[in-house]
């Protein structure tokens, strides 16, 4: 995660700064975890390749922005291009995800979960290595954030503003919070108001019963795996502008860990749980980053605290905060 | 030809051979009980009809169509509803949503609500409650109602009285009796008098095969064959 990168110029006691960082991180974490939550909840598939798709989404979004934005491109045009890039990446990775489900995941549904874990872990190795090769061929450093892509953000997002006595990137963090909120509302509406959303909520509880009611659960699996992959890519596009993250190959593992923590803490099969856990983890991360960087000098401790939260939840409440099934018992 | 025909069906859980050549038939409008001790294959028979546990040998024919090996959702869409053991509510969905999800995409949800709340007026006051918050009897009513919507002509009902208080069993029996008057029912029920009361005919299973069958009229637990296969 991003504890070290979060040092910047945070004052010794800065509740406003911690607050806005917490809000932006909460939004980002929910978006990062949402696709994994939908896939895990309905299908019981632990998609280790989720972070790789986020990383690829960040590079694809960055590629669109770098190719289309020039020094003379105005702020509004950059926002428009960003949303077009986000839509394109979402659509592309949704299609790729659906194809992966049909070609690779579907043939092993009847096998032990270990096969799915090994398969998706294999995908991580393939995708991350392929990304590293392509990024190097493009003349970029795979290990460091793609600064050219970060530089395509409108000046309003790139600049720091002094508000409430805190000098930070208020525009960027507010933008991330707004996009995150929009994504959450869209997913909640999809789950709550559409027939497919109903299938997903029911299938997350009891896929066999859903089948016996006439629902083609295999098709729902394909749709959800596709949408989950698309959401992973969308999260990548959102992270591409943020200097705390940025497009880089290590973003794959970084976001995968966040997604796992959020989904498990929130509870298997519950998107609302994912939202609650995303907010919780975002707030804890921002608070711990401030505490262990500005008050006590232990930059690695915020991550340790998050993993402690994860382990505590697994031991004390294996269902997670709002889960409908125990992790491992699906 | 019967509406449902199960012919020499062999079904397995892994390597465990559970059904060993089960054959039975259910005519349109009939209520047929499957009886037998625990673990003799009653539930597996229902699961094999729906292809949830697809037979490795034998055939299941519904309304003249061989459905063996077809996907469960296609078999269900042919008009077969399932009221499973332990009810298996979608506990985080509301009662309305439990009904809505059982309605086919091209079905009339309003008509489904009318069917359900007409048959079970008690549920109407709980439409917006999560099904997991209902009492056992109310959940059983939702389970039966869910099996009825979408124009299902046949219901596979598994242990509807299990875990319910006696007065609730009576209410569920009344509900099933009303359903049986209009639908075709294949019923698995441990409560012997209830099964005999609701059904027109019965099949007695033992060790994965049918050992006796016939009309339920006049059959009591004291009959020699029944006593031999139902006693613990």
């Amino acid at each position: 995660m991003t504890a070290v990168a979060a040092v910047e110029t945070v004052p010794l006691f800065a509740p406003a700064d911690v607050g806005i960082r917490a809000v932006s991180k909460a939004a980002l974490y929910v978006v990062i975890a949402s696709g994994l939550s939908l896939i895990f909840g309905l299908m019981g598939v632990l998609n280790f390749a989720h972070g790789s798709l986020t990383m690829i989404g960040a590079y694809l979004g960055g590629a669109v922005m770098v190719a289309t934005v020039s020094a003379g491109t105005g702020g509004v045009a950059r926002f428009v291009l960003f949303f077009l890039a986000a839509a394109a990446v979402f659509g592309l990775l949704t299609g790729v995800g659906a194809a992966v489900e049909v070609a690779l995941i579907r043939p092993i549904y009847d096998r032990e979960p270990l096969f799915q874990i090994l398969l998706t872990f294999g995908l991580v190795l393939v995708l991350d290595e392929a990304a590293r090769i392509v990024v190097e061929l493009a003349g970029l450093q795979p290990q460091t954030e793609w600064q050219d892509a970060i530089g395509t953000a409108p000046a309003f997002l790139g600049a720091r503003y002094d508000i409430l006595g805190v000098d930070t990137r208020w525009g960027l963090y507010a933008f991330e919070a707004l996009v995150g909120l929009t994504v959450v509302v869209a997913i909640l509406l999809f789950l709550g108001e559409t027939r497919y959303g109903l299938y997903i909520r029911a299938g997350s509880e009891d896929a066999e019963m859903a089948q016996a009611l006439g629902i083609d659960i295999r098709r729902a699996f394909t749709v959800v795996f596709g949408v989950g992959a698309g959401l992973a890519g969308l999260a990548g596009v959102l992270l591409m502008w943020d200097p705390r993250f940025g497009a880089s190959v290590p973003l794959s593992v970084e976001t995968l860990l966040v997604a796992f923590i959020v989904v498990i803490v929130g509870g298997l099969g519950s998107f609302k749980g994912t939202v609650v856990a995303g907010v919780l983890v975002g707030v804890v991360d921002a608070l711990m980053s401030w505490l262990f960087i500005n008050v006590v000098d232990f930059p690695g401790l915020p991550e340790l605290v998050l993993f402690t939260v994860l382990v505590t939840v697994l031991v004390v409440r294996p269902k997670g905060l709002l889960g409908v099934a125990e992790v491992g018992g699906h | 030809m019967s509406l449902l025909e199960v012919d020499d069906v062999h079904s397995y859980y892994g390597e465990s051979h559970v059904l060993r050549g089960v054959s039975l038939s259910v005519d349109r409008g009939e209520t047929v009980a499957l009886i037998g001790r625990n673990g003799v294959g009653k539930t597996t028979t229902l699961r094999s009809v729906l292809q949830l546990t697809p037979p490795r040998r034998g055939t299941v024919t519904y309304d003249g169509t061989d459905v063996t090996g077809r996907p469960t959702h296609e078999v269900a869409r042919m008009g077969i509803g399932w009221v499973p053991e332990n009810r298996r509510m979608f506990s985080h969905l509301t009662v309305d949503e439990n009904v809505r999800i059982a309605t086919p995409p091209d079905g009339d949800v309003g008509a489904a609500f009318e069917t359900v709340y007409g048959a079970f007026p008690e549920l109407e006051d709980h439409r917006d409650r999560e099904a997991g918050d209902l009492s056992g009897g109310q959940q059983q009513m939702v389970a039966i109602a869910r099996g009825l919507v979408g124009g299902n002509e046949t219901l596979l009902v598994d242990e509807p009285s299990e875990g319910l208080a006696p007065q609730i069993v009576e209410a569920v029996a009344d509900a099933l009796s009303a359903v049986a008057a209009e639908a075709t029912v294949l019923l698995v029920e441990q409560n012997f008098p209830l099964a005999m009361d609701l059904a027109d005919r019965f099949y007695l299973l033992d060790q994965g095969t049918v050992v006796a069958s016939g009309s339920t009229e006049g059959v009591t637990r004291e009959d020699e064959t029944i006593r031999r296969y139902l006693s613990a």
Side-chain angles (χ1 to χ4, degrees):
Chain A
M1 281 142 287
T2 57
V4 176
V7 180
E8 296 174 5
T9 56
V10 182
L12 187 60
F13 182 71
D17 186 71
V18 172
I20 186 67
R21 283 168 188 272
V23 167
S24 85
K25 279 198 167 176
L28 292 175
Y29 288 177
V30 172
V31 176
I32 289 169
S34 58
L36 187 73
S37 171
L38 291 180
I39 292 171
F40 199 15
L42 175 67
M43 304 163 67
V45 172
L46 208 52
N47 181 20
F48 275 83
H50 190 78
S52 303
L53 294 167
T54 299
M55 176 266 294
I56 289 169
Y59 273 116
L60 289 174
V64 172
M65 296 306 293
V66 169
T68 54
V69 169
S70 65
T73 309
V76 173
R78 289 178 190 230
F79 275 120
V80 171
L81 287 169
F82 172 86
F83 286 115
L84 288 175
V89 169
F90 176 78
L92 179 67
L93 289 191
T94 296
V96 169
V100 166
E101 193 276 338
V102 171
L104 300 178
I105 311 282
R106 186 175 290 189
I108 58 170
Y109 277 133
D110 295 334
R111 305 221 182 151
E112 293 172 26
L114 180 64
F115 283 81
Q116 294 160 6
I117 291 171
L118 288 175
L119 176 77
T120 58
F121 186 68
L123 280 176
V124 173
L125 300 178
V126 171
L127 293 175
D128 286 11
E129 190 57 18
R132 190 184 64 76
I133 291 168
V134 172
V135 167
E136 281 183 347
L137 284 175
L140 301 170
Q141 284 294 326
Q143 298 300 317
T144 55
E145 294 79 23
W146 189 7
Q147 294 300 327
D148 288 350
I150 293 172
T152 61
F156 166 70
L157 299 190
R160 305 174 70 92
Y161 297 94
D162 191 340
I163 300 173
L164 298 172
V166 176
D167 180 23
T168 194
R169 293 186 173 84
W170 286 93
L172 177 67
Y173 299 154
F175 174 72
E176 288 170 344
L178 200 62
V179 173
L181 185 66
T182 305
V183 171
V184 168
V185 169
I187 295 173
L188 285 174
L189 285 174
F190 171 69
L191 290 175
E193 303 300 325
T194 69
R195 177 166 275 274
Y196 242 94
L198 189 61
Y199 292 172
I200 290 169
R201 286 187 292 139
S204 296
E205 269 195 68
D206 190 340
E208 186 179 77
M209 188 67 229
Q211 272 181 288
L213 290 174
I215 294 163
D216 185 352
I217 207 75
R218 286 286 166 101
R219 195 163 76 177
F221 280 8
T222 305
V223 169
V224 165
F225 202 88
V227 169
L231 285 169
L234 186 65
V237 179
L238 188 57
L239 297 176
M240 170 264 300
W241 269 352
D242 190 329
R244 298 174 299 179
F245 297 90
S248 71
V249 172
L251 185 68
S252 165
V253 174
E254 194 179 334
T255 52
L256 180 66
L257 290 176
V258 167
F260 273 178
I261 292 173
V262 170
V263 167
I264 291 170
V265 169
L268 179 61
S270 168
F271 181 71
K272 285 178 184 168
T274 297
V275 175
V276 171
V279 171
L280 179 71
V281 171
V283 169
V284 169
D285 190 13
L287 198 59
M288 291 301 112
S289 296
W290 171 77
L291 185 66
F292 290 119
I293 291 171
N294 296 281
V295 180
V296 187
D297 189 18
F298 279 112
L301 274 188
E303 292 165 25
L304 185 64
V305 169
L306 290 186
F307 284 110
T308 305
V309 169
L310 172 67
V311 171
T312 306
V313 168
L314 280 173
V315 171
V316 176
R317 193 176 163 80
K319 282 170 66 173
L321 298 176
L322 300 174
V324 296
E326 278 196 11
V327 175
H330 194 52
Chain B
M1 177 181 274
S2 300
L3 181 61
L4 173 67
E5 290 186 23
V6 175
D7 184 25
D8 192 28
V9 158
H10 292 254
S11 294
Y12 295 70
Y13 290 121
E15 291 310 307
S16 175
H17 193 171
V18 180
L19 297 189
R20 298 166 179 265
V22 169
S23 295
L24 59 86
S25 63
V26 185
D27 290 337
R28 188 169 261 118
E30 208 180 16
T31 296
V32 172
L34 273 180
I35 57 174
R37 283 179 295 212
N38 279 335
V40 297
K42 303 186 299 293
T43 294
T44 307
T45 302
L46 299 191
R47 292 179 58 86
S48 294
V49 168
L50 271 171
Q51 306 301 308
L52 288 165
T53 304
R56 290 194 195 167
R57 262 169 53 200
T59 57
V60 177
T61 308
Y62 185 74
D63 204 11
T65 303
D66 183 354
V67 299
T68 321
R70 289 176 74 159
T72 294
H73 71 275
E74 285 184 19
V75 180
R77 284 273 180 256
M78 291 177 75
I80 303 178
W82 186 37
V83 183
E85 197 175 7
N86 299 326
R87 304 179 279 278
R88 291 173 70 170
M89 290 288 91
F90 298 117
S91 57
H92 290 265
L93 302 190
T94 64
V95 173
D96 263 5
E97 286 175 329
N98 267 279
V99 174
R100 196 148 62 90
I101 197 166
T103 314
D106 56 353
D108 183 345
V109 178
F113 286 148
E114 272 179 37
T115 302
V116 168
Y117 300 122
F120 304 104
E122 182 186 338
L123 293 178
E124 182 132 34
D125 294 336
H126 306 289
R127 295 176 67 151
D128 296 323
R129 282 181 68 188
E130 288 191 355
D133 293 338
L134 300 180
S135 70
Q138 289 167 334
Q139 286 191 13
Q140 191 58 269
M141 287 177 192
V142 175
I144 295 168
R146 200 171 57 174
L148 280 175
V149 301
N152 284 341
E153 190 181 359
T154 299
L155 269 191
L156 309 179
V157 186
D158 199 353
E159 304 286 8
S161 70
E162 192 182 37
L164 300 180
Q167 65 272 29
I168 306 297
V169 171
E170 211 170 295
V172 168
D174 288 346
L176 273 176
S177 186
V179 168
E182 298 191 7
T184 304
V185 179
L186 182 55
L187 170 72
V188 168
E189 179 54 64
Q190 287 280 359
N191 182 331
F192 183 79
L194 176 63
M196 293 302 104
D197 191 38
L198 286 170
D200 305 303
R201 288 191 300 122
F202 75 93
Y203 287 91
L204 176 60
L205 262 63
D206 190 64
Q207 295 183 0
T209 190
V210 174
V211 291
S213 63
S215 166
T216 56
E217 204 169 312
V219 175
T220 72
R221 203 172 175 117
E222 303 313 312
D223 290 355
E224 171 62 24
T225 308
I226 301 293
R227 207 172 50 192
R228 180 161 21 125
Y229 287 105
L230 286 191
S231 58

